[in-house]
């Protein structure tokens, strides 16, 4: 126990010294002998403020690596990294970032710093916004086109959280919404289209996503469609349409749409619909009309014969 206490007393000053000398390497992530740190950045700012973040890079191999740093918004869905397309500058730290300086390459055993400035706009959305700072380590041999050796490009990412307060420095978040529409019409004469419409009634932008589960009541089969992730800014409404391209030619279906903005709480909407080809519907209607006309004509002929038979009977008397 005494040895453990002494070791801990010695380790704490060493950790503090390391943090003071190499602050950007604390919590670094290392892959294939190259590293980037810190792995997590968490800053709190007000709208209109700026801050600078230093990321440390290091090369522990015996090769020289070129560096390609960049900032990108991602969303991870089903273990897949998906780039955020056309992000709004009000909630996208990627659009706030400017890489001020970065080493072009790292020689064996070399370390360096990458400086990134984040300029938060005046209209930045209040809440915790997230982006990723990445660095590609490209072997110099790969850049020079030397193909005799297998060159491995390593990419390391750090997650950057930027908590944006109000102008007074308060962070009072309200996440709330209203689902105006979730489903589809009853009759469909071609591929059905499902509509999702929601309004953001809180003060933080929402990332809405979900699924559509369809049950074919005739064939007893189930299909699941994905509602693509879409953002709704506070005080605004948004509508999303999802087309079912693989819908059967004809059928009767029940569906359920599940929507969420936090991945935990889901809102559900149930509906039913039919798919009938227009030509089939027109043909069926034509056949029904023809049958009705035939029955009407037959009844009229019977009525005419009955009238003629009554006249003959009256003449005989």
């Amino acid at each position: 126990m005494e040895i453990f206490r002494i070791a801990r007393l010695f380790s704490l000053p060493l950790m503090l010294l390391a943090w003071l000398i190499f602050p950007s390497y604390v919590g670094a992530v290392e892959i294939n002998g190259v590293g980037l740190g810190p792995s997590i950045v968490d800053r709190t700012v007000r709208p209109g403020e700026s801050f600078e973040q230093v990321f440390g890079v290091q090369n522990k191999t015996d090769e020289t690596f070129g560096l390609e740093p960049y900032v990108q918004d991602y969303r991870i869905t089903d273990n897949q990294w998906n780039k955020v397309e056309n992000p709004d500058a009000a909630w996208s730290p990627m659009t706030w970032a400017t890489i001020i300086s970065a080493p072009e390459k790292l020689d064996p055993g070399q370390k360096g710093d990458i400086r990134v400035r984040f300029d938060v706009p005046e209209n930045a959305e209040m809440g915790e916004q997230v982006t990723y700072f990445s660095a590609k380590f490209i072997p110099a041999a790969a850049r020079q086109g030397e193909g005799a050796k297998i060159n491995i490009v390593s990419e390391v990412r750090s997650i950057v959280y930027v908590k944006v307060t109000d102008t007074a420095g308060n962070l009072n978040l309200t996440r709330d919404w209203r689902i105006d529409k979730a489903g589809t019409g009853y009759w469909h004469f071609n591929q059905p289209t499902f509509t999702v419409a929601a309004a953001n009634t809180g003060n933080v932008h929402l990332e809405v996503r979900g699924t559509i589960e369809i049950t074919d009541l005739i064939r007893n089969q189930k299909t699941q469609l994905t509602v693509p992730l879409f953002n709704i800014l506070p005080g605004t409404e948004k509508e999303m349409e999802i087309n079912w391209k693989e819908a059967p030619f004809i059928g009767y279906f029940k569906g359920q749409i599940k929507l969420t903005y936090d991945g935990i709480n889901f809102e559900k909407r149930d509906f039913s619909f039919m798919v009938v080809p227009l030509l089939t519907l027109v043909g069926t209607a034509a056949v029904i009309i023809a049958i009705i006309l035939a029955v009407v004509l037959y009844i009229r002929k019977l009525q005419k014969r009955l009238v003629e038979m009554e006249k003959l009977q009256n003449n005989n008397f």
Side-chain angles (χ1 to χ4, degrees):
M1 180 65 71
E2 193 66 31
I3 295 174
F4 172 76
R5 287 178 180 173
I6 294 172
R8 187 170 61 177
L9 287 172
F10 276 104
S11 64
L12 288 175
L14 289 174
M15 290 174 63
L16 180 60
L17 182 62
W19 184 82
L20 291 172
I21 299 176
F22 307 112
S24 57
Y25 300 104
V26 176
V29 178
E30 185 177 314
I31 299 176
N32 300 323
V34 294
L36 170 69
S39 58
I40 299 175
V41 175
D42 194 343
R43 304 292 291 265
T44 301
V45 294
R46 302 182 186 187
E49 292 184 345
S50 299
F51 68 91
E52 188 175 308
Q53 178 63 44
V54 178
F55 294 92
V57 288
Q58 53 186 337
N59 176 15
K60 294 183 178 180
T61 72
D62 56 359
E63 294 184 74
T64 298
F65 287 88
L67 278 176
E68 287 187 7
Y70 66 95
V71 181
Q72 176 67 54
D73 292 345
Y74 289 97
R75 294 297 180 267
I76 303 173
T77 307
D78 297 330
N79 295 323
Q80 300 238 345
W81 290 75
N82 302 310
K83 289 183 179 181
V84 178
E85 303 293 340
N86 302 318
D88 194 306
W91 49 262
S92 170
M94 176 184 75
T95 63
W96 309 342
T98 303
I99 297 176
I100 302 172
S101 63
E104 293 185 1
K105 64 183 180 66
L106 287 179
D107 292 323
Q110 187 179 5
K111 295 180 180 180
D113 287 336
I114 301 175
R115 297 184 178 276
V116 183
R117 188 181 70 248
F118 290 86
D119 298 309
V120 182
E122 294 284 352
N123 66 338
E125 288 293 330
M126 188 168 58
E128 185 179 73
Q129 319 301 348
V130 61
T131 192
Y132 293 85
F133 175 79
S134 304
K136 284 184 179 180
F137 295 82
I138 304 172
R143 286 190 164 185
Q144 295 168 4
E146 297 177 9
K149 183 180 178 181
I150 298 176
N151 299 300
I152 299 175
V153 176
S154 300
E155 181 170 354
V156 189
R157 290 183 179 137
S158 296
I159 188 168
V160 180
Y161 295 103
V162 183
K163 294 185 178 71
V164 182
T165 68
D166 60 16
T167 54
N170 300 316
L171 194 63
N172 300 318
L173 307 181
T174 302
R175 290 182 173 88
D176 203 1
W177 66 342
R178 182 186 71 249
I179 299 176
D180 296 326
K181 188 186 299 182
T184 188
Y186 188 78
W187 290 101
H188 293 272
F189 306 118
N190 47 29
Q191 297 172 346
T193 298
F194 306 99
T195 303
V196 173
N200 186 343
T201 57
N203 62 4
V204 183
H205 94 272
L206 303 178
E207 295 182 339
V208 179
R209 57 190 178 277
T211 58
I212 305 173
E213 188 174 278
I214 306 165
T215 303
D216 189 330
L217 298 178
I218 296 176
R219 303 168 184 83
N220 195 26
Q221 296 176 347
K222 289 189 176 182
T223 303
Q224 184 168 290
L225 305 178
T226 299
V227 177
L229 185 147
F230 62 98
N231 291 273
I232 312 178
L233 297 178
T236 65
E237 301 178 5
K238 204 161 192 178
E239 185 172 292
M240 175 72 68
E241 291 187 345
I242 303 95
N243 189 22
W244 187 17
K245 296 181 180 179
E246 293 80 21
F249 186 65
I250 188 171
Y252 175 56
F253 308 89
K254 281 192 174 181
Q256 184 181 77
I257 293 182
K258 296 180 181 179
L259 298 173
T260 180
Y261 61 78
D262 58 7
I264 301 173
N265 302 299
F266 287 82
E267 292 278 347
K268 300 177 182 178
R269 297 293 186 273
D270 297 313
F271 54 93
S272 59
F273 61 98
M274 289 193 69
V275 176
V276 181
L278 186 58
L279 291 177
T280 301
L281 184 63
V282 171
T284 303
V287 170
I288 293 173
I289 292 172
I291 292 173
I292 293 173
L293 290 175
V295 171
V296 171
L297 292 174
Y298 180 72
I299 292 173
R300 286 183 177 179
K301 284 184 179 180
L302 286 178
Q303 290 174 340
K304 189 175 181 181
R305 286 182 182 179
L306 288 173
V307 171
E308 291 175 352
M309 290 177 65
E310 288 180 357
K311 286 181 179 180
L312 288 174
Q313 287 178 355
N314 292 332
N315 290 334
N316 290 333
F317 288 110

